[in-house]
Amino acid sequence: MTRIKVSAFRWVPPFAQGLVRDLRVRWALEEAGLAYEERLIGPEDQKSESYRRLQPFGQVPAYEEDGLVLFESGAIVMHIAERTEALMPSEPGARARAKTWMFAALNTVEPQIQNLAEIDLFNPGEEWAKLRRPAAVEAVKERLESLSAWLDGKDHLEERFTAADLLMTTVLRILRHTELVAEFPVLHAYCQRCEARPAFRKALADQMAPFARNAPPGR
Ligand SMILES: N[C@@H](CCC(=O)N[C@@H](CS)C(=O)NCC(=O)O)C(=O)O
């Protein structure tokens, strides 16, 4: 039987809870119906040689499966998706389209959104962040406008839910501290639709559980 292990943080501050990228992998595994174990780590593990052998940058997620070790949430989700119709259609053209949108989520939409998150979540109050923010918001809006136009009248990026919707939803979630997604009703409805999936609810609950167990005193 395949034994899968996914790394995740033991605890992160509330602003990051529900956003950590192991969520993508947990969600994909739930959609695929594959059981897994957690490898919970902390800051000391991130720097350790043994963890760097799993994830060269000391980040989460890392993925272990019967001797195979992968990192990069997109690559891991792709690996899982390639073995299940639930996340990727078998028809070659539809498959290629789903992969195209997976890259679009991570390469074209996430950079702008992550840039705003760096400003708002990781550097709030910094002078440079205040100066940079308006242009960063505009860059995000430009991407959201294009995505909204594409999704208008559709339930999903392509004919049906795929790993691309999974990644896009987790990318858009990074904006949850703003009203930017809500400004685009099509995107708001899209996120709600994807996040209503039982596999997402389960993955989110499973990411949150260790945070509740391991919260430092007073947090
Ligand atoms: N491109 C990587 C990014 C992974 C990443 O940024 N992980 C964050 C948590 S969401 C992390 O481990 N941050 C701690 C650090 O970079 O030291 C992926 O998608 O897997």
Side-chain angles (χ1 to χ4, degrees):
M1 200 183 96
T2 307
R3 189 148 171 245
I4 295 171
K5 222 177 219 187
V6 179
S7 74
F9 288 128
R10 206 172 289 128
W11 185 80
V12 293
F15 78 80
Q17 295 182 5
L19 295 182
V20 191
R21 286 171 174 78
D22 58 281
L23 180 65
R24 298 168 177 179
V25 178
R26 291 175 188 268
W27 186 1
L29 289 168
E30 293 296 339
E31 295 281 359
L34 292 169
Y36 66 96
E37 293 167 31
E38 298 167 324
R39 177 191 285 278
L40 293 180
I41 68 158
E44 67 290 354
D45 302 297
Q46 282 183 267
K47 291 197 167 54
S48 73
E49 250 180 64
S50 59
Y51 188 67
R52 293 277 167 143
R53 278 197 286 276
L54 304 180
Q55 216 294 0
F57 304 97
Q59 300 179 310
V60 306
Y63 177 92
E64 297 158 81
E65 181 194 305
D66 296 337
L68 172 70
V69 178
L70 299 175
F71 62 99
E72 281 298 329
S73 58
I76 301 168
V77 169
M78 178 94 78
H79 171 74
I80 299 164
E82 279 181 327
R83 67 163 81 156
T84 172
E85 182 81 22
L87 285 167
M88 203 176 272
S90 48
E91 194 275 309
R95 244 177 136 70
R97 295 288 302 168
K99 289 181 184 176
T100 297
W101 274 109
M102 290 176 76
F103 278 89
L106 301 183
N107 262 3
T108 303
V109 182
E110 187 167 40
Q112 278 75 0
I113 290 181
Q114 186 60 28
N115 186 39
L116 186 60
E118 294 290 337
I119 290 172
D120 290 350
L121 304 180
F122 294 98
N123 295 283
E126 295 285 342
E127 199 48 38
W128 67 262
K130 284 184 203 139
L131 294 172
R132 180 78 186 95
R133 193 172 193 277
V137 168
E138 275 320 299
V140 169
K141 280 189 175 169
E142 208 177 306
R143 289 290 187 260
L144 295 186
E145 217 168 278
S146 305
L147 185 61
S148 176
W150 174 265
L151 276 167
D152 198 10
K154 301 189 180 87
D155 279 351
H156 300 106
L157 291 165
E158 293 289 330
E159 286 76 33
R160 42 154 283 208
F161 179 84
T162 69
D165 298 295
L166 182 159
L167 290 178
M168 191 66 85
T169 302
T170 58
V171 165
L172 294 174
R173 270 176 73 74
I174 302 171
L175 292 170
R176 69 180 180 183
H177 68 288
T178 73
E179 293 299 316
L180 287 166
V181 171
E183 284 176 27
F184 295 88
V186 166
L187 296 184
H188 181 70
Y190 170 72
C191 288
Q192 299 244 303
R193 191 176 306 122
C194 293
E195 291 184 2
R197 297 177 69 85
F200 173 83
R201 309 305 318 165
K202 174 83 169 73
L204 180 61
D206 288 345
Q207 177 178 92
M208 297 298 287
F211 301 152
R213 282 199 312 273
N214 299 309
R219 299 301 293 265

